[in-house]
Amino acid sequence: MLNYITTGESHGRYMAVILEGMPSGLGVDMDYINGELRRRQGGFGRGGRQKIEADYVEIMGGVIRKKTTGAPIGLLLKNKDHTVDVLPSIERPRPGHADLAGSLKYHQDIRAVLERSSARETAMRVAVGAVCKLFLKEFGIDIAGHVTRIGPVAIPKEALSVNEIRRLTKGSLVNCVCRKTEQAMIRLIEKAQKQKDTLGGKYEIRAEGLPIGLGSYVHYERKIDAQLAQILMSQQSAKAVEIGAGDQLASLWGSEAHDEVFYSKTRGYYHKTNRAGGIEGGMTNGEAVVVKVTMKPIATLARPLSSVNMKTRKAEKADFERSDFCAVPAGSVIGESLVAYVLARSFLEKFGGDSMREIRRNYDGYLRQVRA
Amino acid sequence: MLNYITTGESHGRYMAVILEGMPSGLGVDMDYINGELRRRQGGFGRGGRQKIEADYVEIMGGVIRKKTTGAPIGLLLKNKDHTVDVLPSIERPRPGHADLAGSLKYHQDIRAVLERSSARETAMRVAVGAVCKLFLKEFGIDIAGHVTRIGPVAIPKEALSVNEIRRLTKGSLVNCVCRKTEQAMIRLIEKAQKQKDTLGGKYEIRAEGLPIGLGSYVHYERKIDAQLAQILMSQQSAKAVEIGAGDQLASLWGSEAHDEVFYSKTRGYYHKTNRAGGIEGGMTNGEAVVVKVTMKPIATLARPLSSVNMKTRKAEKADFERSDFCAVPAGSVIGESLVAYVLARSFLEKFGGDSMREIRRNYDGYLRQVRA
Amino acid sequence: MLNYITTGESHGRYMAVILEGMPSGLGVDMDYINGELRRRQGGFGRGGRQKIEADYVEIMGGVIRKKTTGAPIGLLLKNKDHTVDVLPSIERPRPGHADLAGSLKYHQDIRAVLERSSARETAMRVAVGAVCKLFLKEFGIDIAGHVTRIGPVAIPKEALSVNEIRRLTKGSLVNCVCRKTEQAMIRLIEKAQKQKDTLGGKYEIRAEGLPIGLGSYVHYERKIDAQLAQILMSQQSAKAVEIGAGDQLASLWGSEAHDEVFYSKTRGYYHKTNRAGGIEGGMTNGEAVVVKVTMKPIATLARPLSSVNMKTRKAEKADFERSDFCAVPAGSVIGESLVAYVLARSFLEKFGGDSMREIRRNYDGYLRQVRA
Amino acid sequence: MLNYITTGESHGRYMAVILEGMPSGLGVDMDYINGELRRRQGGFGRGGRQKIEADYVEIMGGVIRKKTTGAPIGLLLKNKDHTVDVLPSIERPRPGHADLAGSLKYHQDIRAVLERSSARETAMRVAVGAVCKLFLKEFGIDIAGHVTRIGPVAIPKEALSVNEIRRLTKGSLVNCVCRKTEQAMIRLIEKAQKQKDTLGGKYEIRAEGLPIGLGSYVHYERKIDAQLAQILMSQQSAKAVEIGAGDQLASLWGSEAHDEVFYSKTRGYYHKTNRAGGIEGGMTNGEAVVVKVTMKPIATLARPLSSVNMKTRKAEKADFERSDFCAVPAGSVIGESLVAYVLARSFLEKFGGDSMREIRRNYDGYLRQVRA
């Protein structure tokens, strides 16, 4: 089963990831992968770090002559700022962070906690996601994310296609599909900077081109909505995950909440609505998969909150580390990657196969079967 | 690692579960476990099935003289209605269910899909949760859930303790802490019954008494919020999972969104607020764990939605199976069980040990450490 | 991934297993499965228990109208002798058993250890193996095992096909392919009974009809020889596992030890020898998979060995439980089941798919590919 | 649970490994780790490659100021010879290697198979093992391996302690405890070099200082002998794994085959013999863990075996790649690492805990318990 482990600290010499389970024969476009890393670094409201260095990764293994070989894929990022061994210790945990619990659990300085719990680790998860996107693209599966809310400022509700999302967010400083909303978001972030405060928000991810039947209802670990919820909630700052209409479904009548089934020769089975977000019974139902994630405001404040000095047990203000003011635009790029990983994993589980050629054949056979 | 598999169909002869990874020496109170099964069966708005039979389970293994032995624990439920092999086939998938995708994916009749995807399987998950609750109770960890919304009817917002939840929901037909809201909920369900429609809603689960440091930030699979999101989203009908203030955190300033840290000799580190729902950096932070789940309305309608006959490909109304009108009260009992399972798993992972005696010793040592 | 958990004690009311990951559409022949359970109970040298009751299992789930549905398959065995809760405690650990370590580790009476560590649990593993054999049979994969040694008495060396093994062991009381050796084995077992001693031995399992390329070299957990070694060493009493010529390969020159590669239009790639036991680089190479397992003599002796009373710490003879004198014939049946499970798991991983129809199509496509 | 993935090819730019699950607070002695890598490179009978470069690894993550932090530990090795992208394709699979099956399975050139299936990957597994040895050392657990046979030349049988093994193998060119046997082994390897042939053999690994009760009988995946068999059989060239007296136990009477139990106040429970190799019922029994591994002769011969050109399907001699003549001495170093990994994993599973301090406390408590 597709599987990965990341390593590396925020200010360590390296960050790296090993991804196990990719088939052979997939073309690996390093420019694409590094482009995705750059997308993660963008977004109005980022702090100083992103300007220091443009992230890029090298291959450690699993790729020969630009094609995957079926072996574990290793990707390596070299940090320019690698001062982790000489950075000062931290004594005042930042509310909202891993600092307090991490320090007590692992019986170590907050520095060691901060360095690993930092969202910098998501650079590696974006690299994994980029490989998964390259894989999914081969089967016509496409993913895009966009920011739907920053603080109280939200976009008007409308369902957009992946292409529309990509077109409308192009050039947006906050990965937003609506220029007017974008302006309001930027003003809000500027206000946050001035007030030394931070902001959270929401983003939406949409994946199109999925076959019917990824995931399963037979065992809870196989449910694709559960897998998506897990991966998305594992993102730093995530506090809510919704599938399709999500939270709003609580208030509707059953007769309004489900997506009726239709059939046509050209399209096969289809739906005219997509309240389910493309998932029923823990499986893709052929419609676009739509998920929404809520991110809390960044927990590192330039105007720190009340905390306790863990050496003296005296009340003091929390420590401050260089940080962003709003990470939701970056979060939406990371979210795409997380969704890509789960979809690629489910796809590989369903279709088996060790080479792109074999998977393609298995996939085509299944499509013929479900359309017959 | 704690792990389970359930088996059985809605109308099969048996349902069963095997739970692997429980330590030895835990007292197994079958009355408690069967009481939990009865709680799941209750709730205003259930259909006919719950009246047929009171679920109860027997031990298949892992328990000798009412104590666990460390071996896999098997629990067996005998269905009185076991007609699965003679039930008619189903041709018109119900929108909102696993029917369409499940039938195409597994290349079989919808009957075989329905029998397994049905929420009846949750009886086994409640049985697992009951064992986990017995385990957690030994360490002073207590869990309670309650319904916070049915359709548009919601309780007034207030943070309640586990004891208050248990006291206030006592006798409630919809597991609601507010009698006035309960009345409105019941009227709404009666309306649904009359209109042959269904309802969804939301519930909240609260767990108290947890040590600081369950889960971890070091690897995404270890994050306890991600594990909770996975298990809760795997529940039939779940469409959104929130941790703590969840969705509302998107709109707040950072300065309002986090829980400041305090210290006192008697309490150790603590917080005066709990917007984080007891989880920071993928770890418990010593406060109550609070999660919220949105359930969509039941997808089986007595006044069926539009569908397609999978034999003829003609448009027809969906098939109808005996069903509930509102499953949120039962959902809140199931949610308790799911949370109990994840917390017990994390607890066992953190403290290791094979017998209750050993775990107790490890646990006490850790508590002394973090308080020192 | 195919996965199972068993539950139940030697003298418990039930034994059961849940097998997760089987596809839909496989015919489940209960007579075949129960026939396999009977095979396990046979063999000259078994103790009294096997005469008490003929094991048979019922379906708990995952099968409707004699076909698998893709849901977890539950199998239930009802013990006639279910006295576990009233059996006396045991104080003197039997050397060679789990008794001493199990009692200390789990801080409980040896009775609770013995009941679970007993080889009676293998009845459930044979049931799992029988389902896997039914699956493999659909793809022309066939498995047979036979006893090659009991104590010092061994069969003459020769490579036999699955059909020959099956034909030659037919009616053998010790699952031996050579009548003359069988006689010597039986005499030896009779001697063991008289002397109140026990015997071990070796068995060989052979699987034919496997495609090239199950398992993989890319990651250690994917190696099929490693998976076979794990499952076979997990059998009660197993102390050595060999693949192909195994232990003997240590003494050969490289030029004598490997299987040269040939090609013909009708057979594709093939080998004229099979020292590798059908596995190279952690993958099946198209030849028969051959494994050998060494079982130590049964550890429960009617003339008990020296031990210590765990209550008094005084030296005493070990406790005695009703037991067999030689379990190698039964062991060879269990070994077939264990091999079947690993092969089915690898097969499903390689070919993906959720229904027999889909897997068949994927499999045929791959066979065409490797032969092209 | 302790878990790792390696990446990298034999002639790639990098090799790397990420190890997940180590606690915080373990001192990481890079000189020790790199010393272990050097030990793997030694041994009479190695080919040219080992002379090119002395392997050493750098930290990618998980270690700050020479202490582990609980985060995944990344180790990076930079190959001096990194020509993988320009090496010629290979058309004639080497019998005994992954070449044929790997090329067909992954639908790619043998080059891509060879680069990953090569035993060079074991450098990373030795690095993992070195970290695990550092961990085990903190609890007084010590591991040593030695070569017991090369081709027909074997050491005289005797049970040696870890200290004796270490002392007697010191300076040995083939990691052999007996100088006389060593001379015969070296002469044999020289003969192999002259004849352009290769050799296999056997090695033994011994681990001392283990507590009673690592592993378990309750579920097959928890059995420590099964886990050892898996990891050892996953080593390149391994064809047999034995626990304790292993294969020889098949021929003994039960009364001769088991280790009687004794007790003394100073030692607690103990045994005077160790035929079981320190494992009964899938658990450590307090005696030294002893395992034996058979390695087949190296499959790459300078005087190649018969093969088939996969482009033309014509019979031709196999391709030749630079290789060793005998890898058993290196194999014994790798075997130590593999055993160390499994023991550390079981240790961590049994004792839980996130920091060395916590694990120490849990461990000490258990020791007091089992001795009480």
Side-chain angles (χ1 to χ4, degrees):
Chain A
M1 200 156 77
L2 202 63
N3 174 31
Y4 70 86
I5 318 179
T6 68
T7 187
E9 280 70 46
S10 192
H11 299 90
R13 189 173 296 269
Y14 301 105
M15 305 203 74
V17 65
I18 306 180
L19 174 66
E20 207 276 319
M22 268 285 152
S24 67
L26 174 67
V28 176
D29 177 345
M30 294 305 291
D31 290 341
Y32 176 75
I33 296 172
N34 286 317
E36 290 289 292
L37 290 178
R38 280 306 289 160
R39 281 183 69 214
R40 190 196 72 95
Q41 292 189 286
F44 192 83
R46 307 304 302 274
R49 170 130 199 180
Q50 306 312 326
K51 288 155 200 158
I52 296 176
E53 46 184 316
D55 288 344
Y56 72 91
V57 289
E58 294 173 70
I59 294 289
M60 290 194 295
V63 177
I64 296 181
R65 293 183 178 134
K66 302 188 180 168
K67 293 261 183 195
T68 58
T69 65
I73 297 170
L75 297 169
L76 182 69
L77 183 155
K78 294 173 183 163
N79 277 327
K80 290 195 189 69
D81 173 8
H82 46 77
T83 50
V84 70
D85 286 326
V86 297
L87 288 170
S89 72
I90 296 178
E91 284 147 27
R92 288 153 290 240
R94 295 161 302 163
H97 268 294
D99 297 7
L100 176 67
S103 172
L104 292 171
K105 175 186 177 79
Y106 287 104
H107 194 65
Q108 64 187 357
D109 193 272
I110 293 171
R111 168 63 58 195
V113 178
L114 174 156
E115 283 291 323
R116 177 66 189 166
S117 60
S118 153
R120 174 125 188 85
E121 183 254 352
T122 56
M124 291 300 96
R125 303 179 82 178
V126 166
V128 163
V131 175
C132 293
K133 283 176 177 180
L134 287 171
F135 171 80
L136 293 168
K137 237 183 242 185
E138 295 286 321
F139 301 97
I141 299 166
D142 204 4
I143 301 172
H146 61 111
V147 173
T148 58
R149 170 185 291 273
I150 289 181
V153 179
I155 60 166
K157 290 242 146 73
E158 49 179 325
L160 297 165
S161 70
V162 163
N163 279 338
E164 286 168 328
I165 293 169
R166 202 166 282 138
R167 182 170 55 78
L168 292 169
T169 56
K170 199 159 197 175
S172 168
L173 294 173
V174 289
N175 204 26
C176 180
V177 294
C178 168
R179 288 301 121 139
K180 207 171 141 191
T181 313
E182 184 189 12
Q183 289 316 309
M185 287 173 169
I186 288 174
R187 279 194 300 273
L188 193 68
I189 296 171
E190 287 171 339
K191 190 175 166 195
Q193 289 174 327
K194 258 181 234 148
Q195 296 181 349
K196 299 192 174 179
D197 213 325
T198 61
L199 288 160
K202 295 184 75 166
Y203 67 79
E204 180 185 83
I205 307 292
R206 191 179 174 90
E208 290 174 359
L210 292 159
I212 214 166
L214 298 188
S216 178
Y217 59 90
V218 298
H219 179 47
Y220 79 92
E221 292 183 342
R222 295 186 182 261
K223 297 195 179 189
I224 202 166
D225 39 7
Q227 293 179 41
L228 287 165
Q230 177 197 25
I231 203 85
L232 290 164
M233 198 67 97
S234 81
Q235 187 183 355
Q236 284 82 346
S237 296
K239 295 301 279 188
V241 177
E242 299 169 72
I243 311 288
D247 176 72
Q248 297 164 43
L249 289 165
S251 309
L252 301 179
W253 290 107
S255 52
E256 308 161 330
H258 303 289
D259 305 304
E260 297 187 312
V261 181
F262 300 90
Y263 181 84
S264 83
K265 273 200 180 154
T266 50
R267 299 181 59 182
Y269 295 98
Y270 69 99
H271 309 77
K272 294 177 180 171
T273 52
N274 189 14
R275 294 145 186 157
I279 300 176
E280 291 172 303
M283 291 169 289
T284 54
N285 70 358
E287 305 304 326
V289 164
V290 181
V291 297
K292 289 169 196 154
V293 175
T294 295
M295 292 174 71
K296 67 180 182 184
I298 284 183
T300 304
L301 273 77
R303 207 181 41 173
L305 296 172
S306 294
S307 183
V308 172
N309 185 314
M310 292 184 79
K311 287 224 170 125
T312 62
R313 303 282 168 80
K314 294 269 162 63
E316 295 182 16
K317 290 291 169 190
D319 274 305
F320 176 66
E321 285 283 306
R322 185 181 52 186
S323 182
D324 301 332
F325 295 93
C326 177
V328 187
S332 67
V333 176
I334 298 160
E336 287 179 20
S337 294
L338 301 176
V339 168
Y341 169 66
V342 165
L343 295 179
R345 187 172 67 184
S346 287
F347 195 98
L348 284 164
E349 193 182 348
K350 164 114 195 68
F351 296 110
D354 295 301
S355 63
M356 289 305 287
R357 179 177 166 168
E358 183 177 7
I359 297 169
R360 159 77 52 201
R361 189 176 55 233
N362 293 354
Y363 180 62
D364 289 346
Y366 176 72
L367 290 192
R368 282 193 306 274
Q369 175 188 310
V370 300
R371 281 170 188 166
Chain B
M1 199 156 78
L2 203 63
N3 174 32
Y4 70 85
I5 319 178
T6 69
T7 187
E9 279 71 46
S10 191
H11 299 90
R13 187 173 297 270
Y14 301 106
M15 305 203 73
V17 65
I18 306 181
L19 173 65
E20 207 276 320
M22 268 287 153
S24 66
L26 174 67
V28 176
D29 177 346
M30 293 306 290
D31 290 341
Y32 176 76
I33 296 173
N34 287 317
E36 288 290 291
L37 290 178
R38 282 304 291 160
R39 281 184 69 215
R40 191 197 71 95
Q41 291 188 287
F44 192 82
R46 307 304 302 273
R49 170 131 200 179
Q50 307 312 327
K51 289 156 200 158
I52 297 177
E53 46 184 313
D55 288 343
Y56 73 91
V57 288
E58 293 174 69
I59 294 289
M60 291 194 294
V63 177
I64 296 181
R65 292 182 179 135
K66 302 190 180 169
K67 292 262 183 194
T68 58
T69 65
I73 297 170
L75 298 170
L76 182 69
L77 183 156
K78 294 175 182 161
N79 276 326
K80 291 197 189 66
D81 172 9
H82 47 77
T83 50
V84 71
D85 284 328
V86 297
L87 289 170
S89 72
I90 297 177
E91 284 148 27
R92 287 152 292 239
R94 296 162 301 163
H97 268 293
D99 297 7
L100 176 67
S103 172
L104 293 170
K105 174 185 177 80
Y106 287 104
H107 194 65
Q108 65 187 358
D109 193 272
I110 293 171
R111 168 63 58 195
V113 178
L114 174 156
E115 284 291 324
R116 178 66 189 166
S117 59
S118 153
R120 174 126 188 83
E121 184 253 352
T122 56
M124 290 300 97
R125 302 179 82 178
V126 166
V128 163
V131 175
C132 293
K133 283 177 179 179
L134 287 171
F135 171 79
L136 293 168
K137 237 183 241 184
E138 295 286 321
F139 300 97
I141 299 166
D142 204 5
I143 301 172
H146 61 111
V147 173
T148 57
R149 170 184 292 274
I150 289 181
V153 179
I155 59 165
K157 292 238 145 74
E158 49 179 326
L160 298 165
S161 71
V162 163
N163 279 337
E164 286 168 329
I165 293 170
R166 201 166 282 138
R167 183 170 55 78
L168 292 169
T169 56
K170 199 159 198 176
S172 167
L173 294 173
V174 290
N175 204 27
C176 180
V177 294
C178 167
R179 288 299 121 138
K180 205 170 143 193
T181 313
E182 184 188 13
Q183 288 316 310
M185 287 173 169
I186 288 174
R187 280 193 301 274
L188 193 68
I189 296 171
E190 287 170 337
K191 189 174 167 196
Q193 289 174 326
K194 260 181 232 149
Q195 295 181 350
K196 298 192 175 178
D197 213 326
T198 60
L199 288 160
K202 295 184 77 165
Y203 66 78
E204 181 184 83
I205 308 292
R206 192 179 173 90
E208 290 174 359
L210 292 159
I212 214 165
L214 298 189
S216 178
Y217 58 90
V218 298
H219 179 47
Y220 79 93
E221 293 183 341
R222 294 186 183 261
K223 297 195 179 188
I224 202 166
D225 39 7
Q227 294 179 40
L228 287 165
Q230 179 198 23
I231 203 87
L232 290 165
M233 198 66 97
S234 81
Q235 187 184 355
Q236 284 81 346
S237 295
K239 295 300 280 187
V241 176
E242 299 169 73
I243 311 289
D247 177 72
Q248 297 163 43
L249 289 165
S251 309
L252 301 179
W253 289 106
S255 53
E256 308 161 329
H258 303 291
D259 305 305
E260 296 187 313
V261 181
F262 299 90
Y263 180 84
S264 83
K265 274 200 179 155
T266 49
R267 299 181 59 183
Y269 295 97
Y270 69 98
H271 309 78
K272 294 179 180 170
T273 52
N274 190 14
R275 295 144 186 157
I279 300 175
E280 290 172 303
M283 292 170 289
T284 54
N285 70 358
E287 304 304 325
V289 163
V290 182
V291 297
K292 291 169 193 154
V293 175
T294 296
M295 293 174 71
K296 66 180 182 184
I298 283 183
T300 304
L301 274 77
R303 206 181 42 172
L305 296 172
S306 294
S307 184
V308 172
N309 185 313
M310 291 183 79
K311 287 224 168 123
T312 63
R313 302 282 166 81
K314 294 269 163 63
E316 294 182 16
K317 290 291 171 192
D319 275 305
F320 176 66
E321 285 282 307
R322 185 181 52 185
S323 183
D324 300 333
F325 294 94
C326 178
V328 187
S332 67
V333 176
I334 299 160
E336 287 178 20
S337 294
L338 301 177
V339 168
Y341 168 66
V342 166
L343 295 179
R345 187 172 68 184
S346 286
F347 195 98
L348 284 164
E349 194 183 347
K350 165 114 195 68
F351 297 110
D354 295 301
S355 64
M356 289 305 285
R357 178 176 167 170
E358 185 177 7
I359 297 169
R360 158 78 53 202
R361 188 176 56 233
N362 294 354
Y363 180 62
D364 289 346
Y366 177 72
L367 291 192
R368 281 194 306 273
Q369 175 189 310
V370 300
R371 282 172 188 166
Chain C
M1 200 157 78
L2 203 63
N3 174 32
Y4 70 86
I5 319 178
T6 68
T7 187
E9 279 71 46
S10 192
H11 299 90
R13 188 173 297 269
Y14 300 105
M15 304 203 73
V17 64
I18 306 180
L19 173 65
E20 206 277 320
M22 268 287 154
S24 66
L26 174 67
V28 176
D29 177 345
M30 293 306 291
D31 290 341
Y32 176 77
I33 295 173
N34 286 318
E36 289 290 292
L37 290 178
R38 282 304 291 159
R39 281 183 69 215
R40 190 197 71 94
Q41 292 187 286
F44 191 83
R46 306 304 302 274
R49 169 130 200 183
Q50 306 312 327
K51 287 155 201 160
I52 297 177
E53 47 184 313
D55 287 343
Y56 72 92
V57 288
E58 294 173 69
I59 294 289
M60 291 194 294
V63 177
I64 296 181
R65 293 183 179 131
K66 303 189 180 166
K67 292 262 183 196
T68 57
T69 65
I73 297 171
L75 297 169
L76 181 69
L77 184 154
K78 294 174 182 161
N79 275 327
K80 291 197 188 65
D81 172 8
H82 46 77
T83 50
V84 69
D85 285 327
V86 297
L87 288 170
S89 72
I90 296 177
E91 283 147 27
R92 287 152 292 239
R94 295 160 302 162
H97 268 294
D99 297 8
L100 176 66
S103 171
L104 292 170
K105 174 184 176 81
Y106 287 104
H107 194 65
Q108 64 187 358
D109 193 273
I110 293 172
R111 169 62 60 194
V113 178
L114 174 156
E115 284 291 322
R116 177 66 189 166
S117 59
S118 153
R120 175 127 188 84
E121 183 254 350
T122 56
M124 291 300 97
R125 302 180 82 178
V126 166
V128 163
V131 174
C132 293
K133 283 177 177 179
L134 287 171
F135 171 80
L136 293 168
K137 236 183 241 184
E138 295 285 321
F139 300 97
I141 299 166
D142 204 4
I143 301 172
H146 61 111
V147 173
T148 58
R149 170 185 292 273
I150 289 181
V153 180
I155 60 165
K157 292 243 145 76
E158 49 180 325
L160 298 165
S161 70
V162 163
N163 279 337
E164 286 169 327
I165 293 169
R166 203 167 281 139
R167 183 170 53 79
L168 292 169
T169 55
K170 199 160 199 174
S172 168
L173 294 173
V174 289
N175 204 26
C176 181
V177 294
C178 168
R179 289 299 120 139
K180 208 172 139 191
T181 313
E182 184 189 12
Q183 289 315 310
M185 287 173 169
I186 288 175
R187 279 194 301 274
L188 194 68
I189 296 171
E190 288 171 338
K191 190 174 165 195
Q193 290 174 326
K194 258 179 234 152
Q195 296 181 349
K196 299 192 174 179
D197 213 326
T198 60
L199 288 161
K202 294 184 76 165
Y203 67 79
E204 181 185 83
I205 307 292
R206 192 179 173 89
E208 289 174 359
L210 292 159
I212 214 165
L214 299 188
S216 178
Y217 58 90
V218 298
H219 180 46
Y220 80 93
E221 292 182 341
R222 294 185 182 262
K223 297 196 178 188
I224 201 165
D225 39 7
Q227 293 179 41
L228 287 165
Q230 179 199 22
I231 202 86
L232 289 164
M233 198 67 96
S234 81
Q235 186 183 354
Q236 283 82 346
S237 295
K239 295 302 278 188
V241 176
E242 299 169 73
I243 311 288
D247 177 71
Q248 297 164 44
L249 289 165
S251 309
L252 300 180
W253 289 106
S255 53
E256 308 162 329
H258 302 290
D259 305 304
E260 297 187 312
V261 181
F262 299 91
Y263 181 85
S264 83
K265 274 201 178 155
T266 49
R267 299 181 60 183
Y269 295 97
Y270 69 99
H271 310 77
K272 294 178 179 169
T273 52
N274 189 14
R275 295 145 185 156
I279 300 175
E280 291 172 303
M283 291 169 289
T284 54
N285 69 359
E287 305 305 325
V289 163
V290 182
V291 297
K292 289 169 195 153
V293 175
T294 295
M295 292 173 72
K296 67 180 182 184
I298 283 183
T300 304
L301 273 78
R303 206 180 41 174
L305 297 172
S306 294
S307 184
V308 172
N309 184 313
M310 292 183 79
K311 287 225 170 123
T312 63
R313 302 283 168 81
K314 294 269 163 62
E316 294 182 16
K317 290 291 169 191
D319 275 304
F320 175 66
E321 284 283 305
R322 185 179 52 183
S323 182
D324 301 332
F325 295 93
C326 177
V328 188
S332 67
V333 176
I334 298 160
E336 286 179 20
S337 294
L338 301 177
V339 168
Y341 168 66
V342 166
L343 295 179
R345 187 172 67 184
S346 286
F347 195 97
L348 284 164
E349 193 182 348
K350 165 113 195 68
F351 296 110
D354 295 302
S355 63
M356 289 305 285
R357 179 176 167 170
E358 184 177 7
I359 296 169
R360 158 78 53 202
R361 188 176 57 233
N362 294 355
Y363 180 61
D364 289 346
Y366 177 73
L367 290 192
R368 282 193 306 273
Q369 175 188 310
V370 300
R371 281 171 188 164
Chain D
M1 201 156 76
L2 202 62
N3 174 31
Y4 70 86
I5 319 178
T6 69
T7 187
E9 280 71 46
S10 191
H11 299 91
R13 188 174 296 270
Y14 301 105
M15 305 202 73
V17 65
I18 306 180
L19 173 66
E20 207 276 320
M22 267 287 152
S24 67
L26 174 66
V28 176
D29 177 345
M30 294 305 292
D31 290 341
Y32 176 76
I33 295 173
N34 286 317
E36 288 290 291
L37 290 178
R38 281 305 290 162
R39 281 183 68 216
R40 191 198 71 96
Q41 292 188 286
F44 192 82
R46 307 304 301 274
R49 170 132 200 178
Q50 306 313 327
K51 288 155 201 160
I52 297 177
E53 46 184 315
D55 287 344
Y56 72 92
V57 288
E58 292 173 71
I59 294 289
M60 290 194 294
V63 177
I64 295 181
R65 293 183 179 134
K66 302 190 179 166
K67 292 263 184 193
T68 57
T69 65
I73 296 170
L75 297 169
L76 181 70
L77 184 156
K78 294 174 182 161
N79 276 326
K80 290 196 188 68
D81 173 7
H82 47 78
T83 51
V84 70
D85 285 326
V86 297
L87 287 170
S89 72
I90 296 178
E91 283 147 27
R92 288 153 292 241
R94 295 162 301 163
H97 268 293
D99 297 7
L100 176 66
S103 171
L104 292 170
K105 174 185 176 80
Y106 287 104
H107 194 65
Q108 65 186 359
D109 193 89
I110 293 172
R111 168 64 57 195
V113 178
L114 174 157
E115 284 290 323
R116 178 66 189 166
S117 59
S118 154
R120 175 126 188 84
E121 184 253 352
T122 56
M124 291 300 96
R125 302 180 83 179
V126 167
V128 163
V131 175
C132 293
K133 283 177 177 178
L134 287 171
F135 171 79
L136 293 168
K137 236 182 243 186
E138 295 286 321
F139 300 97
I141 298 167
D142 204 4
I143 300 173
H146 61 111
V147 173
T148 57
R149 169 184 291 273
I150 288 180
V153 180
I155 60 165
K157 291 241 146 75
E158 48 179 325
L160 298 165
S161 71
V162 163
N163 278 337
E164 286 168 327
I165 293 169
R166 201 166 283 139
R167 183 171 53 79
L168 293 169
T169 56
K170 198 158 198 176
S172 168
L173 294 173
V174 289
N175 204 27
C176 180
V177 294
C178 168
R179 288 299 122 139
K180 207 172 140 190
T181 312
E182 183 188 14
Q183 288 316 310
M185 287 173 169
I186 288 175
R187 280 194 299 274
L188 192 68
I189 296 171
E190 287 171 338
K191 191 174 165 193
Q193 290 173 326
K194 260 181 232 149
Q195 295 181 349
K196 299 191 174 181
D197 213 325
T198 60
L199 287 161
K202 296 184 74 165
Y203 66 79
E204 182 184 82
I205 308 291
R206 191 178 174 90
E208 290 174 359
L210 292 158
I212 215 165
L214 298 189
S216 178
Y217 59 89
V218 298
H219 179 46
Y220 80 93
E221 292 183 341
R222 294 186 182 261
K223 297 195 178 186
I224 201 165
D225 40 6
Q227 293 179 41
L228 287 165
Q230 178 198 24
I231 202 87
L232 289 164
M233 198 66 97
S234 82
Q235 186 183 356
Q236 284 82 346
S237 296
K239 296 301 279 188
V241 176
E242 300 170 72
I243 310 288
D247 177 71
Q248 298 165 43
L249 290 165
S251 310
L252 301 180
W253 290 106
S255 52
E256 308 160 329
H258 302 290
D259 305 304
E260 296 187 313
V261 181
F262 299 90
Y263 181 85
S264 83
K265 273 200 180 156
T266 50
R267 301 180 60 182
Y269 294 97
Y270 69 98
H271 309 78
K272 294 179 179 170
T273 52
N274 190 13
R275 295 144 186 157
I279 300 175
E280 291 173 302
M283 291 170 289
T284 53
N285 70 357
E287 305 304 324
V289 164
V290 182
V291 298
K292 289 170 195 152
V293 175
T294 296
M295 293 174 71
K296 67 179 182 185
I298 284 183
T300 304
L301 273 77
R303 207 180 42 175
L305 296 171
S306 293
S307 183
V308 172
N309 185 313
M310 291 184 79
K311 287 223 168 125
T312 63
R313 302 282 167 82
K314 295 270 162 62
E316 294 182 16
K317 290 292 169 189
D319 275 305
F320 176 68
E321 284 282 307
R322 186 179 52 185
S323 182
D324 302 332
F325 295 93
C326 177
V328 187
S332 67
V333 177
I334 298 160
E336 287 178 19
S337 295
L338 301 177
V339 168
Y341 169 66
V342 166
L343 295 179
R345 187 172 67 185
S346 286
F347 195 98
L348 284 164
E349 194 182 347
K350 164 114 194 69
F351 297 109
D354 295 300
S355 64
M356 289 304 287
R357 178 176 166 169
E358 183 177 8
I359 297 169
R360 158 77 53 201
R361 188 176 56 233
N362 293 354
Y363 180 61
D364 289 345
Y366 177 72
L367 290 192
R368 281 193 305 275
Q369 175 188 311
V370 300
R371 281 171 187 164

